[in-house]
Amino acid sequence: MERQEKKTPNIVLVGFMGTGKTSIGRRLSTQLRMRYVDTDDVIERDSQRRISDIFSKDGEPAFRELESEAVRQVSKLDNHIISTGGGVVLKETNMVELRRNGIIFCLTATAEEIYQRVRHQSHRPLLQTPDALTKIRSMLEERHPYYAKADYMVETTGRSFGEVMAYIKRVFAKSVRDSK
Ligand code: S3P
């Protein structure tokens, strides 16, 4: 029987808003020569609408449907860096899809650090509130059990992009080696 070439898995980045999924993902993509895709970009491209517009006009449940559709699409890829929106972990089916051909890394940071990183940004509907730090704290607590389902947790507070990437690259290379 012919030996089947195994597909190269995806590196999947999950984690709360502002934990660095996009920044780390884009850099990893360049360094590892793997293509980069972001579920939020897929949603905006396919619907031809901004995320904030979908949230304000159709509501969060409608956004989550589009997000699951984007997850189904990107989970079929291989050899990609897949960055996801912060709430992707909330649906178990999203995690099942992403894990099919992916190793899931959850980027983490403290609430204070996240607040410092996002306070001057305005594109995240869920953080458009006068007391964003309190909101971040309560959402982090609520979502913790979901983020904990990732294969690896990666703390980013006090770490440089280089350090975070070195860890992800090491773990990823080992899992690819072990699966051969
Ligand atoms: C969300 C995170 C956002 C985006 C949407 C909802 C969330 O993505 O998907 O605003 O529920 O945490 P980022 O994590 O890339 O900001």
Side-chain angles (χ1 to χ4, degrees), residues 116-141:
Q116 291 308 324
R117 292 181 193 171
V118 304
R119 56 192 290 219
H120 298 303
Q121 301 174 347
S122 59
H123 64 281
R124 295 186 176 93
L126 293 173
L127 297 182
Q128 299 318 299
T129 153
D131 192 358
L133 180 56
T134 303
K135 179 91 187 274
I136 292 168
R137 285 201 181 108
S138 72
M139 286 178 76
L140 274 178
E141 198 175 315

Side-chain angles (χ1 to χ4, degrees), residues 41-107:
D41 296 342
V42 172
I43 295 167
E44 293 197 333
R45 186 198 63 204
D46 288 359
S47 66
Q48 290 291 301
R49 295 170 67 188
R50 313 298 298 175
I51 305 272
S52 50
D53 178 65
I54 302 172
F55 262 80
S56 66
K57 299 219 174 80
D58 303 351
E60 185 171 342
F63 170 77
R64 296 295 170 208
E65 288 300 318
L66 297 176
E67 183 170 57
S68 292
E69 177 48 40
V71 165
R72 277 192 289 279
Q73 278 187 41
V74 301
S75 297
K76 295 195 182 105
L77 299 168
D78 71 306
N79 204 20
H80 273 66
I81 309 288
I82 300 176
S83 177
T84 60
V88 88
V89 296
L90 300 172
K91 277 196 193 165
E92 175 62 21
T93 49
N94 290 342
M95 296 300 269
V96 170
E97 291 279 352
L98 291 165
R99 191 169 273 121
R100 253 186 241 292
N101 187 38
I103 299 165
I104 305 180
F105 293 89
C106 178
L107 304 187

Side-chain angles (χ1 to χ4, degrees), residues 12-16 19 21 82-86 88-89 95 98 104-108 146-147 149-153:
V12 180
L13 302 178
V14 303
F16 199 79
T19 51
K21 295 168 300 225
I82 300 176
S83 177
T84 60
V88 88
V89 296
M95 296 300 269
L98 291 165
I104 305 180
F105 293 89
C106 178
L107 304 187
T108 64
Y146 298 95
Y147 290 129
K149 290 180 182 163
D151 299 315
Y152 299 95
M153 303 296 276

